Amino acid sequence: MLLCDGVSLDGLGQTHGTPLYVYSAKQIRHRFSLFQDAFAGWPFTICYAVKANSALAILRMLAKLGAGFDIVSGGELERVRRANKTALKRVVFSGVGKQVWEIDAALKAQILMFNVESEAELALLAERAEVMGVRARFALRVNPDVFADTHPYISTGLREHKFGIDIGLARGIYRKSKKSKWLDAAGVSVHIGSQIRAVEPFAAALARVAGLVGELRRDGHNIRYVDAGGGLGIDYSDSPAHSTFDPARKVKDYAAALRKVSASLDAHLLLEPGRFLVAQAGALLMRVLVVKKNGTKTFVITDAAMNDLIRPALYQAHHEILPVVQPRRPGAADTAVDVVGPVCESGDFFARDRAMPKVKAGDLVVLLDAGAYGMSQASNYNTRPRAAEVLVDGTVAKLIRRRETLKDLFAPEIP
Ligand SMILES: *Cc1c(COP(=O)(O)O)cnc(C)c1O
C-alpha cells in the first residue's frame, strides 16, 4: 500500500475522492533546504516560480521559509499577497507581455524588481512609475543565445525565442534608461528554459551576464542583483538513472557551476527554481473507471484526464504510474497498456504502451512527480471540474483546495 509520508493514499482517495493532487510538505521543505545549503554563504534569495504550483498553502509555506517569488502575472502577484504580504518585497515580475494594471499593482506592492523583456515594456514601466510617483527597480531579461537541451516548448534562451532582449543590445537600452529618473537599473536577469538537466548551460548563460554586468557598472549603473532564472530539471523517467537521481548532488553541482562564474559578480543572486522544488513532492491520485480492449490494445481509462494534467499531451512528458494497492515495478510478464482519460481527444493520455501490473475497474492508481505544472495548468476542458488538492505534513493531511463543483463552473456564464 502506497503512502505519502505518514498518510495512506487509499485513505485519501476514499476521504477526498479522485482525481486528487497530493503534495508532501516535508519534501518541498527538503528541496528548499537543498538550495539554502548549497548556496549558503552567498548573498542570495530563492524566488520560487509561482507558475509551477501556485497553491496558496504552498506559497505560504515557502514564504515562511524565507522564499521570494517569481511571478508572471497580476494574478500571481495577488496570490503572493494573499499567501504572505511580507513576501511582496521579495517578488520579481517576469513575463513578455505585462499589462498596465499588472505593472501598477506591482509598483504599488513595492516588489523587488521587474524583469523587463522589451524596450517598449521599459518605456511603459517608466511611464507608469511616473504616474504612481515611485521609482521602478528593473533588470533587463537578456537572451544569452545559449542552447539548452530540453523540449522545444520550454526552451527560452535562444535568439529565435520570444523571450528576453538580445544581450548585444542590452547595454544601449540600459544607457537610455538613465534618461528617466523613474527607472532604477538594479540588476540583470536571465532564464534559459525549463527541465534542463545539465548544469553547464546555466553557467554559460551566467558567464555572459557577468560580462554585461561589468560593462554596465563601468557605464555608471548601480547593478546590485543578478537573477539567474530557474529551469533546473529533475528525472521523471524510470530509467536506471532514476534510482541514482540525487537531488542534493544536483543542486550542489548547480551551485558549483554558478559559483565558478559568479564569484567575481559582487551582486545579490536571485534564483527562480519552480519544478525542482515541487515536482517530486506531488502525485496525482486517480481511479480506474474501465479497462477496455480494442483489438490488440488495452486501455486503462481513469477518472483523471488531460484537463487535470496536460504534460504528456503538451510535452510528450513521461510520468511513472503505479497501482496504489500492491504497487510494484512492472515485470516482463506484465502487458503493455495505454493509460488514458475520458476526454474526447486522442492526445488525452498519461502513458502509452506502458508495462504495468494488472489493474481493474475501481482500483486506485497514482501518477508520480506531478507537483509541478500539473494543477497549475489544469483546465475545465470537457466541462470537467478541477481536482481537489491535499497537503500532507507528517501524519496530517490537509485539504488545501476543495474539488470544484458544477456550480463553480457555471458561475461566470451569462446564458
Ligand atoms: C517558468 C519560469 C521559471 C521556473 O522554471 P522551472 O523550470 O520550473 O524551474 C523561472 N523563471 C522564469 C522567468 C520562468 O518563466
Side-chain angles (χ1 to χ4, degrees):
M1 188 82 79
L2 281 178
L3 302 174
C4 173
D5 296 336
V7 175
S8 133
L9 290 182
D10 188 46
L12 286 177
Q14 289 187 27
T15 308
H16 299 288
T18 50
L20 180 72
Y21 274 100
V22 182
Y23 309 116
S24 159
K26 187 175 137 197
Q27 180 61 227
I28 296 171
R29 280 195 293 262
H30 174 65
R31 288 294 170 101
F32 189 80
S33 76
L34 294 183
F35 279 87
Q36 283 182 314
D37 295 348
F39 286 88
W42 302 28
F44 78 102
T45 302
I46 300 168
C47 294
Y48 166 68
V50 172
K51 74 179 190 290
N53 186 321
S54 44
L56 288 175
I58 290 176
L59 301 185
R60 182 164 291 163
M61 183 173 93
L62 286 167
K64 262 199 198 147
L65 297 172
F69 297 95
D70 170 53
I71 61 163
V72 291
S73 72
E76 288 189 351
L77 178 71
E78 188 56 27
R79 281 193 175 275
V80 174
R81 183 199 313 285
R82 287 178 189 226
N84 187 316
K85 269 205 183 84
T86 62
L88 286 169
K89 60 177 185 294
R90 299 190 297 270
V91 163
V92 294
F93 190 175
S94 304
V96 289
K98 299 181 187 74
Q99 300 177 42
V100 168
W101 73 269
E102 296 177 311
I103 292 174
D104 288 1
L107 284 170
K108 201 165 162 223
Q110 299 181 294
I111 64 162
L112 179 62
M113 196 165 80
F114 290 79
N115 284 336
V116 170
E117 303 221 13
S118 67
E119 212 175 336
E121 185 192 327
L122 191 61
L124 179 61
L125 181 61
E127 196 184 300
R128 299 315 304 170
E130 181 168 5
V131 170
M132 312 268 299
V134 291
R135 279 193 97 203
R137 284 176 295 274
F138 77 93
L140 291 190
R141 172 169 172 187
V142 297
N143 189 322
D145 203 28
V146 163
F147 175 72
D149 188 19
T150 185
H151 190 278
Y153 287 5
I154 48 176
S155 173
T156 61
L158 287 177
R159 222 170 255 156
E160 69 205 52
H161 296 134
K162 69 178 176 183
F163 299 95
I165 293 171
D166 191 321
I167 193 161
L169 302 174
R171 194 174 174 188
I173 299 171
Y174 275 99
R175 191 175 298 136
K176 274 196 220 160
S177 78
K178 277 193 167 174
K179 285 198 201 123
S180 169
K181 66 170 181 172
W182 302 102
L183 293 176
D184 171 9
V188 179
S189 102
V190 71
H191 172 73
I192 54 173
S194 197
Q195 183 54 9
I196 296 164
R197 309 270 304 283
V199 298
E200 291 78 15
F202 296 108
L206 198 61
R208 294 196 185 168
V209 166
L212 176 63
V213 168
E215 290 175 357
L216 294 175
R217 287 193 176 135
R218 283 195 288 282
D219 291 347
H221 299 284
N222 181 17
I223 303 292
R224 290 95 74 198
Y225 298 97
V226 167
D227 183 339
L232 190 61
I234 61 150
D235 200 332
Y236 285 95
S237 80
D238 195 32
S239 65
H242 188 66
S243 47
T244 59
F245 179 67
D246 177 352
R249 180 81 259 150
K250 195 82 192 170
V251 181
K252 271 192 196 136
D253 290 349
Y254 176 67
L258 295 192
R259 192 184 288 266
K260 250 188 235 158
V261 282
S262 71
S264 59
L265 267 182
D266 189 26
H268 189 101
L269 188 66
L270 302 174
L271 302 165
E272 303 173 346
R275 184 191 315 269
F276 201 89
L277 294 182
V278 293
Q280 290 172 299
L284 177 58
L285 193 61
M286 57 188 90
R287 215 172 269 285
V288 175
L289 295 175
V290 197
V291 178
K292 173 175 168 175
K293 280 200 163 63
N294 264 3
T296 56
K297 285 199 78 99
T298 303
F299 293 93
V300 173
I301 302 172
T302 62
D303 61 1
M306 67 188 289
N307 73 296
D308 299 299
L309 181 100
I310 203 172
R311 299 191 69 263
L314 195 55
Y315 315 114
Q316 291 85 45
H318 177 101
H319 285 271
E320 285 301 306
I321 302 172
L322 297 173
V324 168
V325 182
Q326 292 182 325
R328 60 169 175 82
R329 298 276 175 208
D334 292 318
T335 46
V337 299
D338 283 16
V339 182
V340 303
V343 159
C344 304
E345 296 261 355
S346 292
D348 180 25
F349 63 89
F350 294 130
R352 278 181 165 157
D353 291 320
R354 181 80 60 87
M356 232 179 98
K358 203 175 179 118
V359 291
K360 57 181 190 313
D363 285 358
L364 274 179
V365 296
V366 63
L367 182 147
L368 304 180
D369 304 336
Y373 306 105
M375 185 61 173
S376 65
Q377 292 192 347
S379 76
N380 295 118
Y381 188 39
N382 278 213
T383 308
R384 288 168 51 90
R386 276 177 293 178
E389 292 174 293
V390 163
L391 182 63
V392 171
D393 202 349
T395 54
V396 179
K398 191 173 160 229
L399 185 69
I400 59 170
R401 183 186 164 103
R402 65 162 170 81
R403 186 172 305 285
E404 275 177 348
T405 62
L406 289 180
K407 205 171 155 202
D408 292 330
L409 264 60
F410 288 114
E413 286 198 39
I414 303 158

